[in-house]
Amino acid sequence: MSKNIRTPFSATHPGELIKDELKERKMTQKELSEATGVKPSVLSETINGKRGISLSVALSLEKVLGIPAEMLLNMQTNYDIDSANIAERDNARETVAVTIPVSDRNLLKEIVRKFGWACML
């Protein structure tokens, strides 16, 4: 992960935009499915962020909702990149070696209590 890239706290899936559009238009997912010809299950998974938006779905949504397919696909790409950067950031672990005398068991217990782990060599 590049140090110049700012990683957001959470990634925004393009389904959020579609969900907001449906709410504003007082339109149901079923109505959108019928208008676009996209299977209800595919549409539901996309709107709920469980599936990425495909080119064909983006083009269908563009025709019905007027949201440019390019914008939806760019949002999906940004979501994928942000998700990868978030996962990398969250999986980064800092390991610190600390030598603790065996006689100081209370300090060892405190470390385990605070950090949830300790490695004894």
Side-chain angles (χ1 to χ4, degrees):
M1 179 168 49
S2 172
K3 300 227 185 269
N4 295 333
I5 295 174
R6 293 186 183 198
T7 302
F9 180 73
S10 64
T12 303
H13 192 275
E16 291 293 322
L17 175 66
I18 300 165
K19 192 182 299 184
D20 290 344
E21 279 295 316
L22 289 177
K23 186 177 179 181
E24 284 298 312
R25 296 168 189 244
K26 295 178 176 62
M27 185 179 209
T28 65
Q29 286 185 27
K30 184 178 179 183
E31 291 170 335
L32 183 60
S33 174
E34 290 169 357
T36 59
V38 176
K39 288 182 183 178
S41 60
V42 171
L43 196 55
S44 176
E45 289 173 359
T46 302
I47 289 172
N48 291 306
K50 295 178 181 174
R51 174 191 290 256
I53 193 162
S54 67
L55 176 59
S56 61
V57 170
L59 290 170
S60 296
L61 291 170
E62 179 180 52
K63 289 177 186 171
V64 174
L65 299 177
I67 301 170
E70 183 178 7
M71 183 175 122
L72 292 169
L73 294 170
N74 285 339
M75 284 182 74
Q76 182 65 51
T77 300
N78 288 333
Y79 172 81
D80 293 341
I81 291 168
D82 288 344
S83 294
N85 287 335
I86 289 167
E88 184 178 335
R89 177 195 64 205
D90 291 349
N91 288 330
R93 293 197 168 101
E94 186 176 334
T95 302
V96 178
V98 178
T99 304
I100 302 169
V102 176
S103 61
D104 196 349
R105 294 272 181 208
N106 289 334
L107 182 55
L108 183 58
K109 286 178 184 177
E110 182 64 18
I111 289 173
V112 171
R113 186 186 67 74
K114 246 185 182 171
F115 300 106
W117 58 269
C119 180
M120 298 175 65
L121 299 177

